[in-house]
Amino acid sequence: MLLSGFGTLLQLLYTAMLVLAVVAFFFAATAREDAYRAADKKTKPFWLILLGVAVVVNLLIPLLFLQLAGVVASIVFMVDVRPALKEVSGGGGRRGGSSSDGPYGPYNGGR
């Protein structure tokens, strides 16, 4: 009973690592080439190869240390590279405006 539960947990972990790698690969593929240069990150082919290898390793090669390396690459892309690409591309989540803007316009502190 305990061993089958551990196997299920490992299977969920492997699935989560695969999903993370696929999502990171998708975001890397859909970003513009010039955004990588403007954000001063590695090139688009570099990230596509790195994340593509991570996807293939998660699908075909059940070696945990290689899968963990792919997870690290995916996390670095999602946490560091993707926000920089969004900032350079103008894809910030605020749709323009200042950080002091409220839902009805700029907040001026009651002045």
Side-chain angles (χ1 to χ4, degrees), residues 35 38-41 77 79-90:
D40 198 27
K41 301 298 177 186
F77 181 84
V79 171
D80 182 42
V81 178
R82 183 170 179 250
L85 294 175
K86 284 177 67 174
E87 183 178 323
V88 168
S89 300

Side-chain angles (χ1 to χ4, degrees), residues 32-83:
R32 294 188 344 237
E33 170 70 36
D34 60 336
Y36 287 90
R37 288 189 306 269
D40 198 27
K41 301 298 177 186
K42 296 283 187 185
T43 63
K44 184 174 184 174
F46 171 84
W47 284 107
L48 288 177
I49 289 169
L50 190 65
L51 296 171
V53 168
V55 170
V56 169
V57 164
N58 278 306
L59 282 174
L60 302 177
I61 307 170
L63 294 175
L64 187 60
F65 70 94
L66 289 176
Q67 289 173 318
L68 290 177
V71 166
V72 169
S74 300
I75 290 172
V76 167
F77 181 84
M78 295 297 283
V79 171
D80 182 42
V81 178
R82 183 170 179 250

Side-chain angles (χ1 to χ4, degrees), residues 1-23:
M1 181 71 151
L2 183 62
L3 210 50
S4 68
F6 184 69
T8 303
L9 179 67
L10 279 179
Q11 199 62 22
L12 287 174
L13 182 65
Y14 291 148
T15 303
M17 289 190 299
L18 174 63
V19 167
L20 179 64
V22 168
V23 168

